[in-house]
Amino acid sequence: MKRGKSKTDAPKKADTKLSVKKGPERAAKKPRKFKDGKDPNTPKRPQSAFFVFMEEFWKMFKEKNPNNKSVAVVAKAGGDKWKSLTEEKAPYVAKAAKLKAGYTKTMVSYNKSQSGGGGGSCAAATDEAEEEGKAV
């Protein structure tokens, strides 16, 4: 009597799972390097109106709910509140515009210091942005 092939008779496939090295076998992480062309001294970008609002909302929410430890709950509540605001957004938008104007000024001085005071294309572009900021 002829026997059919069983699973044990079939050739074994190579293990397709990736092995995870643990303990001393694990390679040490390399320190992160900055991307080429990115200066760590570059001024930080200004907050948007939403994040200006969230700064204030976070403080109010913490006062009302001191036992809440979840960031997700605060973010969800803040997002819902922001969506419901209409005319009340104006002070946050104004503060964000003020922060952006300050940022453009610092970027102009930063770009001038980087280019050595020469009239490079970056400095010209930021000068135009500064003039637009004053007109607003």
Side-chain angles (χ1 to χ4, degrees):
M1 181 173 198
K2 218 176 188 186
R3 223 173 72 186
K5 287 188 178 180
S6 69
K7 289 183 182 179
T8 57
D9 294 339
K12 293 187 177 183
K13 294 182 181 178
D15 190 18
T16 57
K17 292 183 180 179
L18 296 174
S19 63
V20 178
K21 295 180 181 177
K22 295 179 182 177
E25 297 174 1
R26 187 175 182 177
K29 284 189 175 181
K30 295 178 184 177
R32 286 189 170 205
K33 295 180 183 178
F34 288 106
K35 292 181 182 177
D36 291 337
K38 184 168 183 170
D39 185 6
N41 299 325
T42 307
K44 288 191 172 187
R45 296 182 71 191
Q47 292 180 329
S48 67
F50 174 71
F51 283 102
V52 172
F53 163 76
M54 279 303 289
E55 231 178 81
E56 187 178 305
F57 181 79
W58 184 269
K59 292 174 187 171
M60 291 188 320
F61 193 86
K62 283 289 184 182
E63 288 173 4
K64 291 178 183 175
N65 306 306
N67 296 332
N68 182 35
K69 303 289 183 197
S70 174
V71 175
V73 171
V74 179
K76 180 79 172 166
D80 292 341
K81 176 84 172 171
W82 179 254
K83 285 179 187 176
S84 68
L85 296 177
T86 52
E87 296 159 5
E88 297 90 10
K89 288 183 183 181
Y92 305 111
V93 172
K95 188 172 180 181
K98 185 184 263 188
L99 290 171
K100 187 172 182 179
Y103 169 75
T104 55
K105 287 180 184 178
T106 56
M107 278 304 290
V108 167
S109 63
Y110 170 77
N111 285 332
K112 284 182 182 176
S113 69
Q114 290 297 313
S115 63
S121 61
C122 290
T126 52
D127 287 341
E128 290 173 14
E130 183 181 359
E131 290 172 6
E132 289 177 27
K134 288 181 181 177
V136 173

